[in-house]
Amino acid sequence: MFHTQLCDILGIRYPIIQGALGGISGGPQLAAAVSNAGGLGVLASFNLTDKQLREEIARTRSLTDRPFGLNIFAVNAAFVKRVAKVIVEEGVTIVTTGRGDPRQPVVALLKEHGITVLPVVPTVRHAVRMEAEGADAVIASGTEAGGHVGTVCSLPLIPQVVDAVSIPVVAAGGIGDARGLVAALALGACGVQLGTRFLATHESGATLPQKRRILEATEEDTMPTPIFSGKNVRVIRSPELEEWVRMQRGGAAPQELEALASQIRQGRRDSPGVNTTAGQIVGMIKDIESAGDLVGKMIDEATLICQRLNSLAGPG
Ligand SMILES: Cc1cc2nc3c(=O)[nH]c(=O)nc-3n(C[C@H](O)[C@H](O)[C@H](O)COP(=O)(O)O)c2cc1C
């Protein structure tokens, strides 16, 4: 029932992708659990050395014989070149590319090696450009998402991207269960990518304080902030982050803003759980589940939702 074009492109059973979770350990366990359940697990490359990356790929292969992907967050040309070399040498066949420096010709570089490439896009403009560069599909990600975000919400973004490109569109940002999957399919997407929901699983290497923050947070508790990477990243809010925003709005000097930002970054390193990266869907997460169960449950519940919708649409 949920076999879409995305399943054919990626060689997977269900159109569910686990978005890369940079900076979170346990990538192979999580990716393999999702792939074994019929979705597509994706490893992050952010902050990993070549050796670590090769080890993560090998470990994932030891845990699953199903397809999985690797993510390049295009920080700069040197990083892209280094990770692309590992991808090609290790025979990785599916790559998602995160937001980053849009001038990096990541898609063309990977397509030269026959790799299936799915870039994350925050706007229609970006999606059209990625299609022109040869992307196999795009992942349209709304501002509700965890991680780096643009400004457009998923609900208006996804159908507009679907209308603008002829390649398949995957929906991301604010999807946490079967309702989000069915809604995304209704908007014209052929699959979904979830990040925040997979962070709160047994297999994810998120620390206990991070998982606790996710279970406690409500839908109002996240905010985008540029202080970690120079571009907006959505994280669970904290009094210090709010103070930084107040200072910025009040016209504080760049040195004052940087002093507080550097204190916040240090605080995050010292106490994992503070300023956890997460999306607005966080308020819906009330328990830690196994990643495989999550995939199975999404498909079962989506089937029931479709049956209900069908009966609504049937002859009255
Ligand atoms: C902790 C965390 C780390 C992330 N790291 C990356 C990354 O390294 N590369 C990337 O392309 N996306 C990254 N993302 C984005 C996710 O892959 C995914 O697209 C996003 O979380 C989807 O929105 P959702 O959080 O509403 O499910 C990250 C998200 C989170 C929550």
Side-chain angles (χ1 to χ4, degrees), residues 24-192:
I24 303 292
S25 64
Q29 287 82 346
L30 179 59
V34 173
S35 290
N36 283 333
L40 184 84
V42 178
L43 297 173
S45 58
F46 185 63
N47 265 351
L48 296 185
T49 64
D50 290 10
K51 183 166 176 283
Q52 287 169 324
L53 208 47
R54 288 182 204 275
E55 281 167 4
E56 294 233 331
I57 295 166
R59 174 99 182 101
T60 310
R61 286 195 172 125
S62 75
L63 297 171
T64 183
D65 54 6
R66 304 270 181 95
F68 66 91
L70 197 141
N71 174 263
I72 299 188
F73 183 77
V75 190
N76 56 42
F79 181 81
V80 169
K81 207 170 145 201
R82 178 169 77 72
V83 178
K85 185 167 181 282
V86 174
I87 287 171
V88 172
E89 287 176 3
E90 294 296 328
V92 173
T93 55
I94 301 170
V95 172
T96 64
T97 69
R99 294 195 65 210
D101 180 352
R103 291 163 308 183
Q104 299 305 321
V106 188
V107 178
L109 182 69
L110 296 168
K111 288 313 296 176
E112 268 176 36
H113 297 276
I115 291 163
T116 301
V117 190
L118 297 86
V120 172
V121 297
T123 60
V124 169
R125 188 168 38 89
H126 204 121
V128 169
R129 217 179 71 214
M130 291 298 106
E131 179 178 36
E133 288 184 19
D136 297 272
V138 285
I139 302 169
S141 183
T143 189
E144 302 92 322
H148 283 87
V149 291
T151 55
V152 186
C153 296
S154 296
L155 196 58
L157 176 68
I158 292 151
Q160 292 186 72
V161 171
V162 168
D163 288 346
V165 298
S166 52
I167 51 177
V169 177
V170 178
I175 299 168
D177 64 12
R179 291 170 294 183
L181 168 61
V182 175
L185 296 177
L187 293 174
C190 64
V192 290

Side-chain angles (χ1 to χ4, degrees), residues 19-22 24 46 71 98 144-147 172-175 193-196 199 277:
L21 300 174
I24 303 292
F46 185 63
N71 174 263
E144 302 92 322
I175 299 168
Q193 169 161 296
L194 284 65
T196 302
L199 199 53
T277 306

